[in-house]
Amino acid sequence: MEPTVDPRNPQTATLAPPWAAAQTHSRYLRNLLAARPEIAAWLAEHAGRALTTEQMHSLLAADAPASDDELKRALRRLRQRVMATLIVRDLGGVATLAEVVESMTQLADITTNFALDFLHRQLAEQFGEPLDSGGKPQRLLVVGMGKLGGRELNVSSDVDYIFIYPEEGQTAGAGRRIDNYDFFLRLGKRLIGALGDSTGDGQVFRVDMRLRPNGDSGALVGSLGSLENYFIAQGREWERYAWIKARVMNEGVNLQPEWVAALQDIGRPFVFRKYLDFGAINAMRALHAQIRREVARKEMAEHIKLGPGGIREIEFIAQVFQLIRGGRDPALQARPTLQVLELLVERRLLPVEHARELAAAYEFLRRLEHRLQYLNDAQTHRLPAGDAERRQIAASLGFADWAAFLADLDAHRANVARHFEQVFSEPEEGTHPLAGIWDAPTVGDESLEPLATLGFREPKAMLERLHSFRASSRYLQLPASNRERLDALGPRLIDAAAATDTPDATWRRGLDFLETISRRGAYLALLQQYPQALMKLAELIGSSSWAADYLTRHPILLDELLDSRMFDVSTDWQEFRTNLQARLAQDAGDTEREMDILREAHHAQVFHFLAQDIAGLHTVEHLADRLSELADIMLQTTLDLCWQKLKHRHPHPEQPPRFAVIGYGKLGGKELGFASDLDLVYLHDDPEADAGELYARLGQRMSTWMSTQTSAGMLFDVDLRLRPNGDSGMLVSPIAAFREYQLQHAWVWEHQALTRARFCAGDPAVGEQFEAIRIEILRQPRDLAKLREEVLAMRKRMLDQHASRSEDSFDIKHDRGGIIDVEFIVQYLVLGHAHRHPRLCGNLGNIALLGIAAELGLIPTRLAEPVRSAYREFRRMQHVQRLNAGRRARVERASVSRRSEAVSALWQAVFGTP
């Protein structure tokens, strides 16, 4: 007969009023209190508060076990108190889910470490300490997997362990010595027995070792070296999933941080790829399909962990994003499921409402899981069949009856199943209608006619290109999985290209792009899994050849097509800086990685601007402002990183460098385009001895960091020729020397360049000094006749070198009546009249300065206004041309004659000569 709680026992009776729900619900608790009534008194004193690790340690220390049997008894009796406390607190409505799972995780950590140290000392007394190659003692690394690793352990869970020891070798025993493998094998077996053997006090945890390399057929323990070799040679996709939550449990005397770090260094690259691993979706989809088949075979549809809409599906949703992105975003390597869901929302990878529903379902299912297990302390995830237990489960969760409970459960599971399907659904199943053209591209009416109907103007050339591609060695030598994905994408690319305004160009660029990424299965998987990304890709490359080239150079940007913020024109620069600094902090000191992070962040932001620009969301001026702001941030970040590596050479390394980066040209005038290089001048104002040499190193390093071609591409092409004395001058000028040069030695064209120079990065104090010098130079009184002569001579040299000399085509930038004429007019007006009109010194852009000059009466308003409009339109036309052509932007001369004539009229008025 089942033992019952004796109400006449004072130690038991005290539990009845406040904890009636716990006693009514849990047969395990009733039996425990009947067998060990002293626990009731302990509960009365301690169950009012959450258990602490100090209490658990104290209970074990009080038992002071001296033998294996005493060890087992102490561990199991600790578990009984922890379980009783959790049942009472949870069913009494005072313990949160977080408290329950953390308490169970702490119990596992404490009992495992206590037993590990106890048993290690036993074996060390017999055989000596197991030594590493440096002669130091080693400890067994106990890796907690699954919910244990994620600190999410449920109340009647088993524990998944993997045992790893640092290095091969031998023990240091004076008598009998054994290999380290034998030592740790004995230790592992004893540890399993200490925790998992069934005694009169039950078990601490059932121990499951099947996640170790090679599973049940593998060695119970293995060295770090053997684990690394296994990952490289045999590690399977499902093991990557399993290792996401892996956590070394060692604490106290068992903890050897250097070996924990070594294990993490081995595991991290196996689990988390450096690239965006969209192939993980297919792998996890296959794993889940296998689980579902097993669920169906065993009739486990009501299984709240493995069944449809169960706990495992929530974990899979979180973990697939971790596998895809965790290598590039280390924050996503977090283990707890709810924390990962929050991170996915922060990164806009999961809609807020979806994450909220998944988190609510997770909480509900985990609380239900615990109530099922509280009944008999059994590891079960099945709903009960009996009416009495059903009523008890419903009541424990606050429902009036089983039907009400079931309605809520079904709603949660339906939400989970829906979100799971959205993430893992097979993309566009079935054969695409255009598959026949892709699979057998022959130039015949049966292929030409449907392509012409779709809008392709050159179907014959298209089919010939496709036939050539499919017959190429590059295509034929692809891995089978890549070729399968490529063949699935090909017909969809034809379809997507046909939906654009330029189907033939889109198709050519798209096929070139697919050919470029054909060996990168992850990119193919992304486009296959997300058809909307392929549509966006087609729209972008169809609208701009520059966009197609940019994506081909940086295919990693494909991921940006999935970003919901792609068309958010209100750039949050503070968030951009914060995210960039966070990424850099994770790889601090790794120069190659830091350089790549700068490039990746810059390219991604440029790609956002590009997509917005093609969608018509920016004016040219607005876009240039954004690109210039982005360049300033990258310059400052590059400066900070380079200084970190050089500051130890300065007498005061704790102080920031007295160094400034000055932007000239398009950067200085905030007219930066997508492909613009950076015209820079470096200045310093540091009186310390040898400061010039140190800052020269800093300037050289900055230029190298920005212009070097790495695996992630190039940040900027940097031009330093505008510094004093050009290529023969100092790389970094002292501010006083810069002023002296500008006053005494600079050419007029250098003063022209100064009209749109500005401080971009570095020490603001040096920047302020530069701005004062700039204004001082611009406000120098000048002989207008001589100035006119110099400006006209420079303009003639540029015309001789760059003008189109065509009667039909017009070079928007270089020809008479074009952009450079407008710039020279403004620069002449500034240099000639700023000494009387300080407003002209503002770095406000040519359109604004033309307006100011007209207000000041320096030029007629009737001539200024058409030129302002012409300049704005020329910049727009130049921008459009460069998105689809080479560096020279040329149009039909007749199409811009009115605008170029307006510029020429103002030129005539200012200079008195055509």
Side-chain angles (χ1 to χ4, degrees):
M1 184 176 175
E2 176 189 319
T4 58
V5 180
D6 184 357
R8 293 168 296 180
N9 185 319
Q11 291 181 314
T12 304
T14 58
L15 286 177
W19 299 322
Q23 296 178 72
T24 301
H25 181 91
S26 176
R27 182 181 295 108
Y28 166 77
L29 179 62
R30 295 197 299 273
N31 290 343
L32 176 63
L33 295 179
R36 295 194 58 200
E38 71 277 8
I39 291 181
W42 190 86
L43 285 172
E45 183 178 351
H46 295 95
R49 295 174 300 278
L51 280 171
T52 65
T53 55
E54 290 76 11
Q55 285 176 296
M56 296 187 204
H57 282 297
S58 297
L59 286 167
L60 284 177
D63 281 337
S67 66
D68 287 0
D69 287 342
E70 290 178 2
L71 172 66
K72 291 178 180 179
R73 184 181 305 112
L75 297 176
R76 282 152 183 76
R77 296 202 166 189
L78 171 61
R79 181 186 185 273
Q80 290 168 357
R81 291 177 187 260
V82 172
M83 279 292 292
T85 303
L86 291 179
I87 293 172
V88 166
R89 287 180 57 77
D90 193 1
L91 294 175
V94 293
T96 62
L97 174 63
E99 178 190 322
V100 175
V101 297
E102 179 60 20
S103 294
M104 287 305 300
T105 302
Q106 289 172 352
L107 174 67
D109 286 358
I110 290 169
T111 53
T112 299
N113 275 279
F114 190 90
L116 181 63
D117 179 48
F118 183 95
L119 298 168
H120 180 99
R121 286 186 283 105
Q122 275 188 343
L123 287 169
E125 287 177 8
Q126 186 176 359
F127 301 108
E129 290 284 356
L131 304 179
D132 63 20
S133 56
K136 296 179 180 177
Q138 304 179 80
R139 290 279 174 146
L140 182 68
L141 297 172
V142 180
V143 183
M145 307 291 283
K147 288 187 172 63
L148 171 59
R151 308 198 71 87
E152 302 166 320
L153 201 60
N154 57 58
V155 292
S156 296
S157 178
D158 57 7
V159 288
D160 295 294
Y161 286 155
I162 294 177
F163 294 153
I164 303 294
Y165 59 93
E167 288 185 336
E168 304 289 359
Q170 285 193 320
T171 61
R176 183 183 175 191
R177 301 173 64 188
I178 58 175
D179 290 339
N180 287 349
Y181 170 79
D182 290 332
F183 182 94
F184 289 116
L185 178 62
R186 293 168 188 249
L187 178 56
K189 288 179 177 179
R190 292 191 186 187
L191 181 59
I192 292 171
L195 298 171
D197 284 352
S198 290
T199 72
D201 292 301
Q203 295 173 298
V204 188
F205 294 104
R206 294 170 294 277
V207 179
D208 190 335
M209 299 295 298
R210 289 175 296 175
L211 292 179
R212 69 186 186 271
N214 292 309
D216 284 338
S217 62
L220 187 70
V221 297
S223 67
L224 280 173
S226 69
L227 179 67
E228 183 173 24
N229 291 334
Y230 176 81
F231 282 160
I232 293 171
Q234 300 179 58
R236 290 159 289 183
E237 202 68 28
W238 70 262
E239 288 176 294
R240 291 180 59 205
Y241 156 77
W243 273 80
I244 287 176
K245 291 183 181 290
R247 175 176 63 88
V248 177
M249 299 169 63
N250 295 49
E251 297 173 347
V253 294
N254 295 312
L255 178 60
Q256 295 179 312
E258 67 276 17
W259 293 120
V260 175
L263 176 58
Q264 291 169 341
D265 289 343
I266 290 170
R268 192 179 298 112
F270 169 67
V271 179
F272 302 107
R273 306 296 195 236
K274 284 187 176 180
Y275 53 84
L276 292 164
D277 186 13
F278 284 90
I281 294 178
N282 291 333
M284 291 191 73
R285 185 190 295 119
L287 176 58
H288 185 262
Q290 179 182 340
I291 293 172
R292 281 229 170 141
R293 286 192 295 271
E294 188 72 5
V295 166
R297 186 178 67 81
K298 295 183 177 180
E299 298 182 349
M300 297 164 62
E302 293 301 303
H303 199 286
I304 66 166
K305 177 180 177 182
L306 302 179
I311 296 168
R312 181 59 53 85
E313 290 191 355
I314 302 173
E315 294 172 339
F316 268 39
I317 291 170
Q319 289 169 326
V320 74
F321 285 105
Q322 291 182 279
L323 288 179
I324 291 170
R325 300 170 185 278
R328 299 184 61 79
D329 186 353
L332 286 176
Q333 296 175 18
R335 298 182 184 96
T337 300
L338 292 177
Q339 182 183 345
V340 175
L341 291 177
E342 291 176 3
L343 290 169
L344 295 178
V345 170
E346 288 178 14
R347 286 150 176 75
R348 301 196 187 184
L349 297 171
L350 201 63
V352 175
E353 187 57 35
H354 293 194
R356 188 179 296 121
E357 289 180 349
L358 289 170
Y362 185 81
E363 177 103 8
F364 183 89
L365 291 169
R366 292 301 309 273
R367 292 177 65 233
L368 170 59
E369 172 187 46
H370 290 157
R371 278 147 181 77
L372 293 173
Q373 295 174 357
Y374 287 149
L375 291 170
N376 297 300
D377 188 21
Q379 189 190 18
T380 181
H381 294 87
R382 292 177 183 271
L383 297 177
D387 290 341
E389 287 189 335
R390 286 184 170 187
R391 283 193 300 271
Q392 192 57 53
I393 291 294
S396 71
L397 287 163
F399 292 95
D401 53 37
W402 181 254
F405 155 76
L406 204 56
D408 217 36
L409 172 63
D410 289 345
H412 283 301
R413 294 179 70 175
N415 285 338
V416 173
R418 185 178 74 256
H419 296 313
F420 183 88
E421 193 64 25
Q422 289 172 347
V423 174
F424 287 96
S425 60
E426 286 279 2
E428 300 186 21
E429 295 179 286
T431 302
H432 194 279
L434 297 174
I437 294 176
W438 174 269
D439 294 334
T442 56
V443 183
D445 291 342
E446 68 279 3
S447 297
L448 293 174
E449 185 175 341
L451 290 175
T453 302
L454 285 170
F456 292 97
R457 295 183 179 182
E458 301 173 348
K460 183 178 179 182
M462 176 180 172
L463 289 170
E464 289 172 349
R465 170 76 177 91
L466 177 55
H467 181 271
S468 173
F469 169 69
R470 287 180 59 87
S472 67
S473 58
R474 184 184 185 92
Y475 172 81
L476 295 174
Q477 292 173 8
L478 287 174
S481 59
N482 286 33
R483 194 161 59 246
E484 181 181 332
R485 285 174 177 156
L486 192 57
D487 288 344
L489 286 170
R492 290 165 175 80
L493 173 63
I494 299 173
D495 207 9
T500 68
D501 295 334
T502 55
D504 294 274
T506 304
W507 154 255
R508 287 194 302 273
R509 296 165 188 169
L511 187 60
D512 289 344
F513 180 72
L514 288 185
E515 187 172 11
T516 298
I517 66 169
S518 59
R519 294 191 178 277
R520 302 294 296 274
Y523 296 145
L524 296 173
L526 183 156
L527 291 174
Q528 185 185 13
Q529 180 65 31
Y530 298 100
Q532 73 272 24
L534 182 62
M535 296 300 293
K536 287 182 182 177
L537 172 69
E539 291 170 10
L540 282 171
I541 64 178
S543 300
S544 166
S545 60
W546 191 87
D549 292 340
Y550 196 69
L551 261 175
T552 300
R553 292 197 307 273
H554 310 298
I556 195 172
L557 295 174
L558 273 179
D559 177 52
E560 300 300 320
L561 295 173
L562 305 179
D563 192 338
S564 61
R565 295 167 292 184
M566 173 71 82
F567 298 105
D568 184 357
V569 295
S570 57
T571 308
D572 186 337
W573 289 117
Q574 186 54 52
E575 181 184 17
F576 177 83
R577 289 187 183 91
T578 300
N579 291 340
L580 176 59
Q581 292 301 327
R583 289 185 63 190
L584 289 167
Q586 290 159 352
D587 289 284
D590 184 341
T591 297
E592 182 178 351
R593 185 69 195 120
E594 288 171 336
M595 291 172 72
D596 282 347
I597 289 171
L598 290 177
R599 284 152 176 76
E600 290 161 5
H602 179 260
H603 294 158
Q605 194 60 53
V606 166
F607 188 62
H608 279 226
F609 291 151
L610 176 62
Q612 294 165 11
D613 182 40
I614 289 172
L617 301 179
H618 291 293
T619 63
V620 174
E621 293 83 4
H622 190 259
L623 176 65
D625 286 343
R626 291 291 189 271
L627 289 170
S628 300
E629 176 80 5
L630 177 61
D632 288 356
I633 293 172
M634 304 315 292
L635 282 167
Q636 184 63 58
T637 307
T638 302
L639 169 56
D640 293 341
L641 290 168
C642 292
W643 181 246
Q644 285 298 316
K645 301 176 192 308
L646 292 172
K647 67 180 184 180
H648 64 279
R649 301 175 182 228
H650 194 278
H652 300 288
E654 74 284 356
Q655 298 177 359
R658 298 173 68 173
F659 176 94
V661 181
I662 309 301
Y664 277 67
K666 290 190 179 301
L667 174 63
K670 292 191 175 182
E671 294 184 350
L672 215 58
F674 285 124
S676 300
D677 57 7
L678 301 187
D679 293 302
L680 303 178
V681 169
Y682 299 140
L683 303 175
H684 83 85
D685 182 30
D686 194 328
E688 293 291 341
D690 301 324
E693 181 180 346
L694 177 60
Y695 289 126
R697 287 178 179 269
L698 176 60
Q700 184 60 58
R701 183 165 294 199
M702 281 187 66
S703 301
T704 300
W705 268 55
M706 290 186 285
S707 59
T708 295
Q709 192 81 26
T710 74
S711 60
M714 185 170 67
L715 190 56
F716 296 109
D717 194 359
V718 175
D719 191 336
L720 302 173
R721 291 175 295 176
L722 289 178
R723 67 186 186 271
N725 292 309
D727 284 338
S728 62
M730 291 185 295
L731 188 67
V732 182
S733 298
I735 193 77
F738 177 80
R739 177 178 181 275
E740 192 270 339
Y741 176 86
Q742 294 293 336
L743 287 170
Q744 303 297 330
H745 307 291
W747 297 86
V748 170
W749 67 263
E750 291 179 282
H751 288 174
Q752 286 180 253
L754 205 58
T755 60
R756 56 178 193 169
R758 65 183 178 86
F759 167 73
C760 293
D763 185 346
V766 181
E768 289 174 6
Q769 291 181 69
F770 163 76
E771 181 62 14
I773 293 169
R774 188 183 81 89
I775 293 173
E776 179 186 4
I777 299 301
L778 296 185
R779 298 198 65 194
Q780 294 292 304
R782 291 175 174 85
D783 183 323
L784 288 180
K786 186 176 181 181
L787 176 63
R788 182 183 299 111
E789 180 183 338
E790 292 275 3
V791 171
L792 290 173
M794 173 56 69
R795 182 69 184 106
K796 183 178 184 305
R797 284 195 292 272
M798 295 182 70
L799 283 168
D800 291 343
Q801 292 175 11
H802 301 295
S804 67
R805 298 182 182 83
S806 169
E807 293 183 3
D808 299 321
S809 68
F810 178 78
D811 190 305
I812 296 171
K813 179 178 180 181
H814 294 287
D815 277 359
R816 279 290 190 197
I819 286 175
I820 289 182
D821 273 6
V822 179
E823 292 174 347
F824 270 51
I825 289 169
V826 171
Q827 290 162 9
Y828 170 78
L829 292 171
V830 171
L831 294 177
H833 300 282
H835 67 286
R836 290 188 296 113
H837 303 292
R839 290 175 65 194
L840 291 171
C841 294
N843 192 339
L844 305 173
N846 292 312
I847 294 173
L849 288 171
L850 282 170
I852 291 172
E855 290 175 16
L856 296 171
L858 302 176
I859 55 176
T861 301
R862 63 180 177 79
L863 295 180
E865 286 306 315
V867 173
R868 294 175 75 195
S869 298
Y871 184 75
R872 184 180 289 110
E873 181 61 15
F874 282 158
R875 284 190 61 199
R876 187 196 67 77
M877 295 171 71
Q878 181 188 50
H879 178 68
V880 171
Q881 288 282 316
R882 287 181 173 174
L883 282 178
N884 279 292
R887 291 186 65 83
R888 290 192 178 276
R890 294 185 176 180
V891 297
E892 290 184 11
R893 186 172 290 275
S895 68
V896 295
S897 59
R898 182 172 57 83
R899 294 184 176 89
S900 64
E901 288 167 3
V903 174
S904 295
L906 182 59
W907 181 276
Q908 176 76 35
V910 171
F911 292 107
T913 181

